[in-house]
Structure formats: C-alpha cells, structure tokens
C-alpha cells in the first residue's frame, strides 16, 4: 500500500499483551525523527471497567479517562517530531470508545496509519499466565485487533519474525508504512524513559534491562498449563486470521 507524503506520520501499532510491544516502542523511539505515546487509552480502560491493575490509581490519574479526548489528541494533537509512534493495547479499545465499534469505520481512527503486532497465542498465554492466573479472551484484545485490521488494513508483523530477523522484519514494516528504515531501531540504551507510562515499574523490568531485540523471549519454551488449552482454542482463529498477512523476510505475504 502506498502512502501520500505528509508533513507528519502518526503510526498506531495495535498489539495484545506479552507481544514484544514495549521493545517495539523502544525501537521506534530510538529514531531521531520519532516520539512515542505509551498506551494512551489505559486510564480510560481502567476507569470504564473498574479493574484493579497494579498502580491503578496512578494510571487513572496520569491520563485522560474520556476516550474521545484521548483520540482527539492522538489524531490532531501537536507533534514535536515528524513521526509519532502510538503503542496501543487492543483490549483497551472497549466497545463504545469509538463510534461504530473498535474498527470505527469513518471515525477518528481513520486518520492514523495502522500496523499490527501479533504473536502465537500459545506463547502469549504461557507468558501472560505468569502474571494473571486466569486470563480471558477479553484480556488479550484479539477480536478488536482483527476488527481493526479488517476496517483499516495495515502491515502485520509477528513477534517471532522480529526476534528472528529484526533488521529484515523492521525493514519490511517501515517500507509498508511509507517510512525509511533506520539502523538506530535495532539497538537502544538500557534504562527507563520519560515517555514510559507510570505503570512501567510494575511491567517494564525486562525491557529496561534490554539493549535490543533478544534472539527469543524468556520462557518461550515453557509449556502451556493444561487449564488454558480451551482458551487457546478460542484465541487461535483470531491469530490465524492475521498471520497469513505478516511481513516475514522469508514468506511473501498473502495478496
């Protein structure tokens, strides 16, 4: 897909949890031309659901809780750099946040340049079960991710491909977004960032210790608990709907 040249580019990357999403944010933020936004709908999601997440009160106080205000800022707010990378968790996009549902055809999300980060749901569930004993389909945001893709389109990258071949996969992603690839995306300084959400102390220890994409994520070979096999079967159709479109250096995407 070609993109018209514009003064600024706003990329909305839609991912579920445990999908390499924070490392991907680090990668883009290490570009000199890019600023990032970390999970801007998190406070609105917590306020709407009443869920008790680590640091909940801090999160709710740190961001607007009205999704319309958040989306207006993401689409129209001033930018300090030519490129803005928005790290979104798909499960934060609740029904009613966007007119017409998560896809919001014709709504404010149409002004963004969309991309999708996916991961084999067995690996997602194995990782997520270590922080939440009984994850649900709603925790993973897979239905919203598929709806967003079907509505807006955009490149799909798989976390496994990013880990296996960061340069090749990120090069394909940048080309699909109409961006030049930047070698700075492959390595970054360790430590926290001022752009990280206030929840970073609860979740970002691994990425704060990182300086690039590891060859594989920790615990990737751990077995899936048997109790989560029924949930895995519910997750697979959503992953399978997007996986054929992934930009793999070894596998041409489906036309």
């Amino acid at each position: 897909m070609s993109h018209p040249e514009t003064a600024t580019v706003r990329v909305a990357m839609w991912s579920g949890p445990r999908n390499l999403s924070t490392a991907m944010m680090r990668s883009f933020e290490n570009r000199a031309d890019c600023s990032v936004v970390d999970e801007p709908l998190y406070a609105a999601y917590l306020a709407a659901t009443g869920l008790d997440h680590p640091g909940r009160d801090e999160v709710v106080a740190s961001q607007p809780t009205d999704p319309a205000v958040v989306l207006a800022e993401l689409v129209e707010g001033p930018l300090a750099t030519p490129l803005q990378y928005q790290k979104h968790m798909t499960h934060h996009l609740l029904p009613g946040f966007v007119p017409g549902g998560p896809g919001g055809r014709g709504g404010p999300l149409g002004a963004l340049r969309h991309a999708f980060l996916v991961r084999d749901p067995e690996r997602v569930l194995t990782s997520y079960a270590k922080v939440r004993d009984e994850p649900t389909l709603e925790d993973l945001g897979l239905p919203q991710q598929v709806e967003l893709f079907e509505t807006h389109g955009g490149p799909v990258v798989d976390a496994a491909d990013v880990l296996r071949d960061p340069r090749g996969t990120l090069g394909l992603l940048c080309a699909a977004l109409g961006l030049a690839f930047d070698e700075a995306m492959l390595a970054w300084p360790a430590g926290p960032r001022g752009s990280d959400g206030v929840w970073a102390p609860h979740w970002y220890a691994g990425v704060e210790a990182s300086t690039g994409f590891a060859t594989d994520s920790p615990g990737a070979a751990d077995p899936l608990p048997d109790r989560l096999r029924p949930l895995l079967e519910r997750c697979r159709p959503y992953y399978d709907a997007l996986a054929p479109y992934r930009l793999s250096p070894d596998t041409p995407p489906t036309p």
Side-chain angles (χ1 to χ4, degrees):
M1 180 184 295
S2 62
H3 295 282
E5 291 298 322
T6 57
T8 58
V9 175
R10 301 170 193 255
V11 173
M13 175 64 85
W14 298 98
S15 168
R18 323 306 284 189
N19 273 23
L20 207 71
S21 59
T22 309
M24 185 70 78
M25 180 175 70
R26 284 284 191 274
S27 173
F28 271 84
E29 189 171 19
N30 210 47
R31 297 174 60 118
D33 63 349
C34 187
S35 53
V36 302
V37 181
D38 191 9
E39 301 185 27
L41 288 163
Y42 195 5
Y45 167 77
L46 290 180
T49 61
L51 291 172
D52 185 17
H53 281 204
R56 171 192 161 83
D57 292 344
E58 286 181 278
V59 176
V60 171
S62 72
Q63 299 174 324
T65 56
D66 183 342
V69 171
V70 176
L71 291 171
E73 178 67 19
L74 293 174
V75 171
E76 302 171 354
L79 298 183
T81 54
L83 172 62
Q84 182 188 66
Y85 180 89
Q86 303 172 5
K87 173 196 168 192
H88 289 286
M89 293 288 101
T90 52
H91 61 284
H92 292 171
L93 196 61
L94 296 172
F97 275 17
V98 178
R105 188 180 299 277
L109 293 178
L112 302 175
R113 202 167 289 186
H114 298 271
F116 302 86
L117 179 61
V118 300
R119 188 185 185 194
D120 184 330
E122 184 167 354
R123 301 276 60 85
V124 172
L125 289 174
T126 300
S127 177
Y128 199 50
K130 296 174 182 177
V131 294
R132 182 168 179 181
D133 288 340
E134 299 299 333
T136 67
L137 185 63
E138 290 71 27
D139 290 329
L140 306 178
L142 293 170
Q144 293 99 313
Q145 192 175 39
V146 171
E147 184 173 347
L148 284 159
F149 176 77
E150 290 176 344
T151 303
H152 300 289
V156 178
V157 289
D158 193 303
D161 291 321
V162 176
L163 293 173
R164 180 175 52 81
D165 185 355
R167 179 180 279 103
T169 305
L170 292 175
L172 291 171
L173 173 62
C174 288
L177 290 169
L179 306 172
F181 173 70
D182 189 332
E183 287 285 332
M185 299 175 72
L186 299 177
W188 50 84
R193 303 285 186 277
S195 53
D196 291 345
V198 298
W199 51 90
H202 302 283
W203 300 102
Y204 289 1
V207 80
E208 286 178 3
S210 73
T211 57
F213 293 104
T215 55
D216 204 350
S217 52
D222 292 352
L224 179 72
D226 286 342
R227 71 180 188 280
L228 295 180
R229 295 235 163 247
L231 177 57
L232 174 61
E233 294 310 307
R234 294 182 64 202
C235 292
R236 279 217 175 275
Y238 296 102
Y239 173 78
D240 291 345
L242 296 179
Y245 298 95
R246 71 190 188 281
L247 298 175
S248 169
D250 298 330
T251 306
T254 299

